Amino acid sequence: MPDNTLPTLVAKDITKVYQTGEVEVRALDGVSFELYRGEMVVLLGASGSGKSTLLNILGGLDRPTTGSVLFDNADLSRMSEHDLTLFRRDHVGFVFQFYNLIPSLTARENVALVTEIAQHPLSPEQALELVKLENRLDHFPAQLSGGEQQRVAIARAIAKQPDILLCDEPTGALDKQTGILVMDAIATINRELGTSTAVITHNTVVGGMADRIVSISDGRIAGIEHNRQRVSAAELDW
Ligand SMILES: Nc1ncnc2c1ncn2[C@@H]1O[C@H](COP(=O)(O)OP(=O)(O)OP(=O)(O)O)[C@@H](O)[C@H]1O
Ligand SMILES: [Mg+2]
């Protein structure tokens, strides 16, 4: 069960303004948001509404223009580049639409790249078992399906046992059946490791798997819905 009294991350009144030549884009416009320990959140919203911008700021890949993001009372928006890199390395796993696996390394070796530098890692075999790839350890990316490659990317992201898992359209390049396997892998990690998880998707039904569904519109949080009855990916009406 998620502990919704203990926030892992607290974003307070963040804005993000991109200046491109003469054009100013206000990608985030006063977002306050808490990601609680062990919860799974789904972020929904139209293209360009600011979802990826928010996720990247929560994960320390980018900084807000104004506002703060607190992790253990440290403000990510004021950290040095070095400390931000350590924050990401020690505490955050990222999963993107494209898998970015190293083609010349096997599944096990792709995951081992991360476990070698982590403090309390799972073994590559344990991480790959969590995403149900224990029988693909020595396959190269080219020998894996798209969904299997994405599950290797998830195993790589969580092998260091991060506090936070951030996924930006993890099923965006996958068909429905494969998307179910990938979303189930993410939900399993959230449940078994208690990783605070945020998933961006365009597929509104995926909200059924989350504890909370956050709708983003024009750089603002337009609504937050609580879901008392989380279901598995296979139970969704895709
Ligand atoms: N690096 C950047 N430079 C300038 N503008 C940017 C940059 N990144 C994003 N934007 C703008 O900020 C707004 C929010 O972009 P963002 O990528 O967060 O949207 P999104 O909700 O993730 O959309 P999508 O569903 O298409 O991925 C958009 O108007 C986008 O054009
Ligand atoms: Mg995006």
Side-chain angles (χ1 to χ4, degrees), residues 18 20 25 27 46-53 169 202:
Y18 290 111
T20 315
V25 175
S47 180
S49 58
K51 304 180 297 295
S52 296
T53 303
E169 299 192 43
H202 278 282

Side-chain angles (χ1 to χ4, degrees), residues 16-20 23-28 44-56 62 97 168-169 200-202 216 219:
K16 180 69 179 181
V17 179
Y18 290 111
Q19 184 85 42
T20 315
V23 185
E24 199 175 81
V25 175
R26 190 169 281 268
L28 294 176
L44 298 173
S47 180
S49 58
K51 304 180 297 295
S52 296
T53 303
L54 176 59
L55 207 76
N56 291 345
D62 203 353
Q97 181 169 357
D168 195 343
E169 299 192 43
I200 293 176
T201 174
H202 278 282
I216 314 274

Side-chain angles (χ1 to χ4, degrees), residues 93-133:
F94 291 99
V95 175
F96 298 103
Q97 181 169 357
F98 301 103
Y99 327 122
N100 302 313
L101 299 176
I102 297 178
S104 59
L105 299 181
T106 64
R108 190 202 313 257
E109 290 164 345
N110 266 280
V111 177
L113 280 182
V114 173
T115 56
E116 278 160 15
I117 59 164
Q119 286 174 334
H120 307 288
L122 302 173
S123 67
E125 292 78 13
Q126 287 172 315
L128 285 160
E129 189 176 349
L130 271 173
V131 298
K132 298 202 169 75
L133 284 179

Side-chain angles (χ1 to χ4, degrees), residues 15-16 30 44 133 146 163 167 173 205 209:
T15 66
K16 180 69 179 181
L44 298 173
L133 284 179
D163 299 291
C167 310
V205 300
M209 299 181 68

